[in-house]
Coordinates of all heavy atoms in Angstrom, one line a residue:
R1 N -2.4 11.6 -7.1 CA -2.1 12.8 -7.9 C -1.0 12.5 -9.0 O -1.0 13.1 -10.0 CB -1.6 13.9 -7.1 CG -2.7 14.6 -6.2 CD -2.2 15.8 -5.5 NE -0.8 15.8 -5.1 CZ -0.4 16.1 -3.9 NH1 -1.2 16.3 -2.9 NH2 0.9 16.0 -3.7
V2 N -0.1 11.6 -8.6 CA 1.1 11.4 -9.5 C 0.8 10.4 -10.6 O 1.1 10.7 -11.8 CB 2.3 10.9 -8.6 CG1 3.4 10.5 -9.5 CG2 2.7 11.9 -7.6
W3 N 0.2 9.2 -10.3 CA 0.1 8.2 -11.3 C -0.8 8.6 -12.5 O -0.4 8.3 -13.7 CB -0.5 6.9 -10.7 CG 0.5 6.3 -9.7 CD1 0.3 6.2 -8.4 CD2 1.8 5.7 -10.0 NE1 1.4 5.6 -7.8 CE2 2.3 5.3 -8.8 CE3 2.5 5.6 -11.2 CZ2 3.6 4.7 -8.7 CZ3 3.7 5.0 -11.1 CH2 4.3 4.6 -9.9
P4 N -1.8 9.4 -12.4 CA -2.6 9.9 -13.6 C -1.7 10.7 -14.5 O -1.9 10.7 -15.8 CB -3.7 10.7 -13.0 CG -3.9 10.2 -11.6 CD -2.5 9.8 -11.2
K5 N -0.7 11.4 -14.0 CA 0.1 12.2 -14.9 C 0.9 11.4 -15.8 O 1.3 11.8 -16.9 CB 1.1 13.1 -14.0 CG 0.4 14.1 -13.2 CD 1.4 14.8 -12.3 CE 0.8 15.8 -11.4 NZ 1.7 16.4 -10.5
F6 N 1.2 10.1 -15.4 CA 1.9 9.2 -16.3 C 1.0 8.4 -17.2 O 1.5 7.5 -17.9 CB 2.7 8.2 -15.4 CG 3.7 8.9 -14.4 CD1 4.0 8.4 -13.2 CD2 4.3 10.1 -14.7 CE1 4.8 9.0 -12.3 CE2 5.2 10.7 -13.9 CZ 5.5 10.2 -12.6
G7 N -0.3 8.5 -17.1 CA -1.2 7.8 -18.0 C -2.0 6.8 -17.3 O -2.9 6.1 -17.9
Y8 N -1.8 6.5 -16.0 CA -2.6 5.6 -15.3 C -4.1 6.1 -15.2 O -4.3 7.3 -15.1 CB -2.1 5.4 -13.8 CG -0.9 4.4 -13.7 CD1 0.3 4.8 -14.1 CD2 -1.1 3.2 -13.2 CE1 1.4 4.0 -14.0 CE2 0.0 2.3 -13.1 CZ 1.2 2.7 -13.5 OH 2.3 1.8 -13.4
D9 N -5.0 5.2 -15.2 CA -6.4 5.5 -15.2 C -7.1 4.6 -14.2 O -6.7 3.5 -14.0 CB -7.0 5.4 -16.6 CG -8.3 6.2 -16.7 OD1 -8.7 6.9 -15.8 OD2 -9.0 6.1 -17.8
G10 N -8.2 5.1 -13.7 CA -9.1 4.3 -12.8 C -10.5 4.8 -12.8 O -10.7 6.0 -13.1
P11 N -11.4 4.0 -12.4 CA -12.8 4.4 -12.4 C -13.1 5.3 -11.2 O -12.6 5.0 -10.1 CB -13.6 3.1 -12.3 CG -12.6 2.1 -11.6 CD -11.3 2.6 -12.1
L12 N -13.8 6.3 -11.4 CA -14.3 7.2 -10.3 C -15.5 6.6 -9.7 O -16.5 6.4 -10.4 CB -14.5 8.6 -10.8 CG -13.3 9.4 -11.3 CD1 -13.7 10.7 -11.9 CD2 -12.3 9.5 -10.2
S13 N -15.5 6.5 -8.4 CA -16.7 6.0 -7.7 C -17.7 7.1 -7.5 O -17.3 8.3 -7.7 CB -16.3 5.4 -6.3 OG -15.8 6.5 -5.5
D14 N -18.9 6.8 -7.1 CA -19.8 7.8 -6.7 C -19.3 8.7 -5.6 O -19.5 9.9 -5.7 CB -21.2 7.2 -6.3 CG -21.9 6.5 -7.4 OD1 -21.6 6.8 -8.6 OD2 -22.8 5.7 -7.1
A15 N -18.6 8.1 -4.7 CA -18.0 8.9 -3.6 C -17.0 9.9 -4.1 O -17.0 11.1 -3.7 CB -17.3 8.0 -2.6
H16 N -16.2 9.5 -5.1 CA -15.2 10.4 -5.7 C -15.9 11.6 -6.4 O -15.6 12.7 -6.3 CB -14.3 9.7 -6.7 CG -13.3 8.9 -6.1 ND1 -13.2 7.5 -6.4 CD2 -12.2 9.1 -5.3 CE1 -12.2 7.0 -5.7 NE2 -11.6 8.0 -5.1
R17 N -16.9 11.2 -7.2 CA -17.7 12.2 -8.0 C -18.4 13.2 -7.0 O -18.4 14.4 -7.3 CB -18.7 11.6 -8.9 CG -17.9 11.0 -10.2 CD -18.9 10.6 -11.3 NE -19.7 9.4 -10.9 CZ -19.4 8.2 -11.0 NH1 -18.2 7.8 -11.4 NH2 -20.2 7.2 -10.6
N18 N -19.0 12.7 -5.9 CA -19.6 13.5 -5.0 C -18.6 14.5 -4.3 O -19.0 15.7 -4.1 CB -20.4 12.7 -3.9 CG -21.6 12.1 -4.5 OD1 -22.2 12.5 -5.4 ND2 -22.0 10.9 -3.9
Q19 N -17.5 14.0 -4.0 CA -16.4 14.8 -3.4 C -16.0 15.9 -4.3 O -15.8 17.1 -3.9 CB -15.2 14.0 -3.0 CG -14.1 14.8 -2.3 CD -14.5 15.3 -0.9 OE1 -15.4 14.8 -0.3 NE2 -13.9 16.4 -0.6
I20 N -15.8 15.6 -5.6 CA -15.5 16.6 -6.6 C -16.6 17.6 -6.7 O -16.4 18.9 -6.8 CB -15.2 15.9 -8.0 CG1 -13.8 15.2 -7.9 CG2 -15.1 17.0 -9.1 CD1 -13.6 14.2 -9.0
L21 N -17.8 17.2 -6.8 CA -19.0 18.1 -6.8 C -19.0 19.0 -5.6 O -19.2 20.2 -5.8 CB -20.3 17.3 -7.0 CG -21.6 18.2 -7.1 CD1 -21.5 19.1 -8.3 CD2 -22.8 17.3 -7.2
R22 N -18.9 18.5 -4.4 CA -18.9 19.3 -3.2 C -17.7 20.3 -3.2 O -17.9 21.4 -2.8 CB -18.8 18.4 -2.0 CG -20.1 17.8 -1.5 CD -20.0 17.2 -0.1 NE -18.9 16.2 0.0 CZ -19.1 14.9 -0.3 NH1 -20.2 14.4 -0.7 NH2 -18.1 14.0 -0.1
G23 N -16.6 19.9 -3.7 CA -15.4 20.8 -3.7 C -15.4 21.8 -4.8 O -14.8 22.9 -4.6
T24 N -16.0 21.5 -5.9 CA -15.9 22.4 -7.0 C -17.3 23.1 -7.4 O -17.3 24.1 -8.1 CB -15.4 21.7 -8.3 OG1 -16.4 20.7 -8.7 CG2 -14.1 21.1 -8.1
R25 N -18.3 22.5 -7.0 CA -19.7 22.9 -7.4 C -19.8 22.9 -8.9 O -20.6 23.6 -9.5 CB -20.0 24.3 -6.9 CG -19.8 24.4 -5.4 CD -21.2 24.6 -4.7 NE -21.0 24.9 -3.3 CZ -21.3 24.0 -2.4 NH1 -21.7 22.8 -2.7 NH2 -21.1 24.4 -1.1
N26 N -19.1 22.0 -9.6 CA -19.1 21.9 -11.0 C -19.7 20.5 -11.4 O -19.0 19.5 -11.4 CB -17.7 22.1 -11.6 CG -17.6 22.1 -13.1 OD1 -18.5 21.5 -13.8 ND2 -16.6 22.8 -13.7
A27 N -20.9 20.5 -11.8 CA -21.6 19.3 -12.1 C -21.0 18.6 -13.3 O -21.1 17.4 -13.4 CB -23.1 19.6 -12.3
K28 N -20.5 19.4 -14.2 CA -19.9 18.8 -15.4 C -18.7 17.9 -15.0 O -18.6 16.8 -15.5 CB -19.4 19.9 -16.4 CG -19.1 19.4 -17.8 CD -18.8 20.6 -18.6 CE -19.1 20.2 -20.1 NZ -18.9 21.4 -21.0
L29 N -17.8 18.4 -14.1 CA -16.7 17.6 -13.7 C -17.1 16.3 -13.0 O -16.5 15.3 -13.1 CB -15.8 18.4 -12.8 CG -15.0 19.6 -13.4 CD1 -14.2 20.3 -12.4 CD2 -14.1 19.1 -14.6

């Protein structure tokens, strides 16, 4: 949560994207 606020970036895996989809139900995110 902290490092992205400072500009760090990293690739989102399929697992990350699936977790975001399950948690938000927002396919765009």
Side-chain angles (χ1 to χ4, degrees):
R1 290 188 325 235
V2 174
W3 294 113
K5 293 176 186 177
F6 303 147
Y8 278 75
D9 199 8
L12 295 175
S13 67
D14 289 342
H16 285 119
R17 286 192 292 277
N18 288 335
Q19 182 65 26
I20 290 165
L21 181 58
R22 279 192 303 275
T24 66
R25 306 250 188 252
N26 185 329
K28 194 174 202 178
L29 292 178

